[in-house]
Amino acid sequence: MPKATAPLVAKSPVVVKTPSLAGSGVLQLGAYGSQAKAEAGWDTLSKKYGYLAALKKSIAPAEVGGATVYRLRVDAGAQSSGICAKLKAAGENCIQAN
């Protein structure tokens, strides 16, 4: 392996703003190109899946690859894995955010 002559430094670091939700039960339901699209995504999902409507949502901007995306997240608490499984079974996107 060649030896590095200088320390490796990232040219443009990824900046992620911390969402307003905290805890172990946060699910990310999508990432959108605008706040309005994230709100529309929430409207669609919360109407289609009534069990989402009662959850606290958060839309947080984040820099990814030089572009801003808006992450739609919900705090599902202890029910997070079950809710995520139900969404995935229905063909929706869902990931544990923490």
Side-chain angles (χ1 to χ4, degrees):
M1 267 186 116
K3 292 184 179 181
T5 57
L8 299 176
V9 179
K11 290 184 179 183
S12 58
V14 175
V15 178
V16 178
K17 295 184 179 180
T18 305
S20 61
L21 297 178
S24 62
V26 178
L27 302 175
Q28 182 167 314
L29 304 179
Y32 300 84
S34 71
Q35 174 107 13
K37 288 180 182 177
E39 290 287 354
W42 172 250
D43 288 344
T44 299
L45 288 169
S46 63
K47 287 177 183 166
K48 188 173 182 180
Y49 306 103
Y51 53 88
L52 292 178
L55 302 177
K56 181 181 177 186
K57 74 163 170 125
S58 171
I59 297 174
E63 291 293 321
V64 178
T68 301
V69 295
Y70 295 83
R71 293 176 174 161
L72 172 59
R73 294 179 172 186
V74 293
D75 186 355
Q79 301 173 3
S80 63
S81 60
I83 289 174
C84 200
K86 285 169 65 173
L87 289 169
K88 285 181 178 181
E92 301 293 344
N93 293 316
C94 178
I95 60 170
Q96 297 265 296
N98 37 339

